[in-house]
Amino acid sequence: MKKSLLSITCASIMALPLVTQAADNSVAAEIEALKQRISELEARQASQPDAASGAVANQWTDRITLSGKAEFLATHSELETGSTNDLDVDAVKLVVDAQVNELISLSTTLKYKEGDEFYVDEAIATLAKEGNPLSLTIGKSGIPFGVIESATWTDPLTDDLTDNTDDLAVLSYAQAGFSSDFYLFKGDQDNDDSVNNAGVNLGYAFGNGLSVGAGYLNNIGNTELFLDAGVDEKQSAWRLNVAMELGEAGISAEWVQADAFDSLAGAKPSVWHLGAHYNTAVFGAPGTLALGYSESDEAADLDLAEKRLAASISRELGDNAELIAEYVREEGYTDEDADTLNLVLATYF
């Protein structure tokens, strides 16, 4: 028994270095693996911007985009009183868009028109969630009553009648071709801060390129045309519009009718517009042929032409630029006709 115990003890003593060596090899392997893991983490961290400096800057630039345009105009007009010529920077627009987060986006438009300084033409915040058909837009923007589907450089008379920029809130819904807007705006006619002007738009886009729409505005008297004419009266208006896209060609029509204005001797100002365009090659580059005709009725007391015909041809000048040549014929209510030739260099970025 003693001999057996002695043998076991000797064997254990002899095996001890082997066990210790195996344990040391295991610890060394674990340490080496840990070092390798630390090296991988350090390399990954080095490839990313520091959260307290570069990361913030990169995220800031990723959320903001800049765009804009500048238009340079040369024009010649033949009037009843003689001819005029002009050469100027017609308009400059700078748009700053920012994605605040997944829900809120901002857009600010700075604009310059001939004779004016840079001013904030639009500043809006839009609350919309991806995949949700509802959205809310608040801020300062154009009142979304007129549709103004025109491919000519000169806008139709429907734009002159409905142009208005004000503080507003728009609740929109769009899904499966159907779209609607309900909006409230303050208006310049009110001397207080009350918001009692409203409008609604309805539209539907079919899958074959056809789209139709209708709109109601409870106060068209707040638009710039009526305010500039000294009309301080609130009257409602209606709009109907239709458009059809046929490949490279398209046609559109719009009609706006206002209710009777007592301050205009019971007149019901109205405007209708018909436009057409065709995208084709012009002297070897992409271009567009466009035609638009507008006519107003019962608007003699407003600074609005009775008829306006515009025909234009445009050609791309490389990327982000185009040259537009346009002829415009206007007829006034008192036979004050005007023929104008416009040559426009439009640049975009």
Side-chain angles (χ1 to χ4, degrees), residues 106-120:
L106 300 178
S107 180
T108 302
T109 301
L110 302 177
K111 192 174 182 179
Y112 164 84
K113 291 288 289 183
E114 182 188 5
D116 295 330
E117 297 181 353
F118 257 110
Y119 62 95
V120 178

Side-chain angles (χ1 to χ4, degrees), residues 167-169 183-187 190 192-198:
D167 298 319
L168 52 66
Y183 55 94
L184 301 170
F185 64 99
K186 186 162 56 177
D190 301 320
D192 52 21
D193 293 331
S194 21
V195 179
N196 52 13
N197 302 299

Side-chain angles (χ1 to χ4, degrees), residues 172-222:
S172 303
Y173 177 89
Q175 190 171 35
F178 174 77
S179 61
S180 64
D181 301 310
F182 175 74
Y183 55 94
L184 301 170
F185 64 99
K186 186 162 56 177
D188 294 329
Q189 290 174 315
D190 301 320
N191 295 324
D192 52 21
D193 293 331
S194 21
V195 179
N196 52 13
N197 302 299
V200 62
N201 296 323
L202 297 175
Y204 190 82
F206 298 87
N208 57 358
L210 176 66
S211 60
V212 297
Y216 170 77
L217 180 67
N218 79 324
N219 180 19
I220 195 173
N222 188 76

Side-chain angles (χ1 to χ4, degrees), residues 133-144:
L134 280 173
S135 64
L136 176 65
T137 301
I138 56 175
K140 176 185 179 183
S141 184
I143 304 303

